[in-house]
Amino acid sequence: MRIHSAEFQAMAARVLRVTELTSRLNVLPFEDEAGRAELFARILGRPLPSGVTIYPPFYTEHGLRLDLAERVFINQNCTFLDYAGIRLGERVMVGPKVTFITVGHPVDPGERRRYLTGGPIDVAENVWIGAGATILPGVSIGRDAVVAAGAVVADDVPPASLVTGPKATVRRRW
């Protein structure tokens, strides 16, 4: 996407609106379930599925492209930069301080301030993502996989595998 295009301007306006909404969400008393539900519906453009649990603080820059299936659990202080789309399948568990990033900038210095690049993130069913992991643009994580705490996931994760480390590497398969 070209920066300063009409699409970018619409995205930037949405970012400002959602930042205001998440700021309000993150200061609500935890027991204010109705207030949280109303703000999540405005952030996501639809109500949360009934079995989804999200512990604040919660951050997203767009919200409308965050697809949460039933029985998803998201712990505190997670960030979802979802402009290119994030899908979390059923029974996904997300540890605290996990970051999902779907957009970035080109590496070329001349292009860096002119374009956004990226791709959607797809997390299959029954995945566990450990605390502080970072999931980068365009990644798919297969069913039953585990992403260890602190891992940086830049490549697809096979089903039923454990990835660890600063360049998430498959350590074990089952």
Side-chain angles (χ1 to χ4, degrees):
M1 170 191 336
R2 188 170 180 79
I3 294 176
H4 305 300
S5 66
E7 181 184 9
F8 181 85
Q9 295 303 322
M11 180 191 77
R14 177 71 186 164
V15 168
L16 291 176
R17 179 71 180 132
V18 171
T19 299
E20 185 262 327
L21 292 170
T22 57
S23 294
R24 291 176 47 205
L25 172 76
N26 291 332
V27 297
L28 279 180
F30 187 71
E31 63 273 5
D32 186 355
E33 292 181 26
R36 282 189 293 131
E38 187 268 329
L39 284 168
F40 272 121
R42 291 174 63 193
I43 290 165
L44 303 175
R46 64 201 169 287
L48 275 178
S50 61
V52 171
T53 301
I54 301 175
Y55 287 157
F58 168 86
Y59 304 96
T60 184
E61 105 282 34
H62 196 270
L64 298 177
R65 296 185 176 144
L66 179 56
D67 179 14
L68 304 173
E70 289 291 332
R71 296 176 54 199
V72 166
F73 174 82
I74 299 169
N75 214 319
Q76 298 178 17
N77 211 21
C78 291
T79 301
F80 294 83
L81 303 183
D82 67 306
Y83 186 74
I86 298 170
R87 184 189 78 86
L88 301 184
E90 290 189 15
R91 298 181 328 277
V92 167
M93 298 186 306
V94 179
K97 297 185 180 180
V98 172
T99 302
F100 295 83
I101 303 169
T102 65
V103 293
H105 297 272
V107 174
D108 182 308
E111 301 292 309
R112 215 174 281 160
R113 294 187 181 272
R114 295 174 47 200
Y115 294 97
L116 290 179
T117 61
I121 294 170
D122 185 65
V123 181
E125 294 75 21
N126 205 40
V127 167
W128 175 23
I129 301 174
T134 301
I135 316 300
L136 296 177
V139 166
S140 291
I141 300 174
R143 183 183 181 99
D144 297 323
V146 175
V147 175
V152 177
V153 182
D155 297 313
D156 289 351
V157 175
S161 61
L162 166 69
V163 295
T164 66
K167 167 75 169 78
T169 305
V170 174
R171 299 289 182 205
R172 186 171 56 189
R173 303 278 313 257
W174 53 85

